[in-house]
Amino acid sequence: MARSNINDLAVFLAVARARSFTKAAAKMSISQSALSHTIRNLETRLGVRLLTRTTRAVTPTEAGERLLEGIASHFDGIEAQLEELNAFKDKPSGTIRINAPDFAISCVLLPKLREFIPRYPDVTVELVQDNGLSDIVNDRFDAGVRMGYQLANGMISARISPDFRFAVIGSTSYFASREQPVKPQDLIHHNCINYRFLTGGNLYAWEFEENGREIKIRVEGQLVFNDIFHVLDAAVAGLGLAYVPEEIAQPWIEKGEVIRVLETFSPFWDGFYLYYPHRHQASPAFREILNALRVQE
């Protein structure tokens, strides 16, 4: 087979898996126009349409699905073999892709990577912010980060953070004309800033604990975000009450710009874990980053 055919099949594989020319182009570091041209040439040579293109999505045709199933495992095997060659190098190298929530990236991963990055100059760490519960296998991540209770079956996991709590906060300007809630049920009388999960599209129900019993409150308000730091910013600006990790709220609490309420009702949650499939062939780079992130007992 001509080398150009192999390259074109690799391009097709990237687009078919990403379901997007934009995402595939970014991953392969080539332009969208070059990507489209390659796919058109491949379809012309093969004499069949491989992808259906709409304004919203790119999906494989029946022929494209057949081709995807036939070649994917072969390309994955080649990548795995190339990755294993890193074991013969003196220093760990390669790219490690990790899917993680925004709060975990800022407050857990980045602080631990401050020492790791200078120590391993041949390792590239790609952190992809994702507050949903994406499938790390289908999306071709080396690992993901989730809270303990969210871990999927069939995964190996390692704790990378202690347990933590969320805090209900409101700015001093917000409380200047409103009474502070004294129990979670009082939140229904307040303008609360909602958080929406991208996966499933549901709004987060604020979770509390009273006398060992779990309480979930569906709050209402004028603002909805899918980024926890935007939720915090809106609360600091006086636009409503927010329920955010206490670690990111603490600086504002200490400065007196926001007031924390309902603290006795906020439970501790299981911390973050790095997780990856059982069949994952850990490269030297992955093993080193796992050791760097793992909570030392």
Side-chain angles (χ1 to χ4, degrees), residues 62-96:
E62 183 177 355
E65 286 286 2
R66 179 74 63 85
L67 180 61
L68 179 61
E69 292 176 4
I71 69 173
S73 61
H74 297 290
F75 276 88
D76 289 345
I78 292 172
E79 286 191 11
Q81 291 299 319
L82 292 175
E83 188 67 30
E84 288 181 7
L85 291 178
N86 289 328
F88 294 95
K89 295 183 179 180
D90 294 333
K91 296 181 180 179
S93 63
T95 298
I96 304 298

Side-chain angles (χ1 to χ4, degrees), residues 10-87:
V11 169
F12 163 74
L13 185 60
V15 176
R17 278 176 160 167
R19 296 294 199 267
S20 165
F21 279 93
T22 302
K23 292 179 180 178
K27 181 179 179 181
M28 301 189 75
S29 300
I30 59 178
S31 68
Q32 291 186 52
S33 59
L35 214 65
S36 298
H37 181 71
T38 298
I39 295 296
R40 284 196 299 269
N41 286 345
L42 179 61
E43 290 176 328
T44 299
R45 288 201 306 275
L46 296 178
V48 293
R49 180 174 290 278
L50 300 173
L51 299 170
T52 299
R53 306 159 179 82
T54 68
T55 55
R56 293 188 176 184
V58 177
T59 56
T61 62
E62 183 177 355
E65 286 286 2
R66 179 74 63 85
L67 180 61
L68 179 61
E69 292 176 4
I71 69 173
S73 61
H74 297 290
F75 276 88
D76 289 345
I78 292 172
E79 286 191 11
Q81 291 299 319
L82 292 175
E83 188 67 30
E84 288 181 7
L85 291 178
N86 289 328

Side-chain angles (χ1 to χ4, degrees), residues 98-110 127-134 136 141 143-148 150 160 164 166 195 197-198 226-229 245 271-275:
I98 301 175
N99 177 299
D102 46 15
F103 168 59
I105 291 176
S106 296
C107 298
V108 179
L109 299 181
L110 287 182
L127 301 177
V128 177
Q129 177 180 316
D130 181 4
N131 295 320
L133 300 177
S134 297
I136 62 170
F141 287 96
V145 173
R146 289 185 189 175
M147 293 169 61
Q150 296 174 324
I160 62 173
F164 63 93
F166 269 42
Y195 178 90
F197 292 105
L198 291 181
N226 64 1
D227 184 304
I228 201 67
F229 291 98
F272 284 111
Y273 289 75
L274 188 80
Y275 68 100

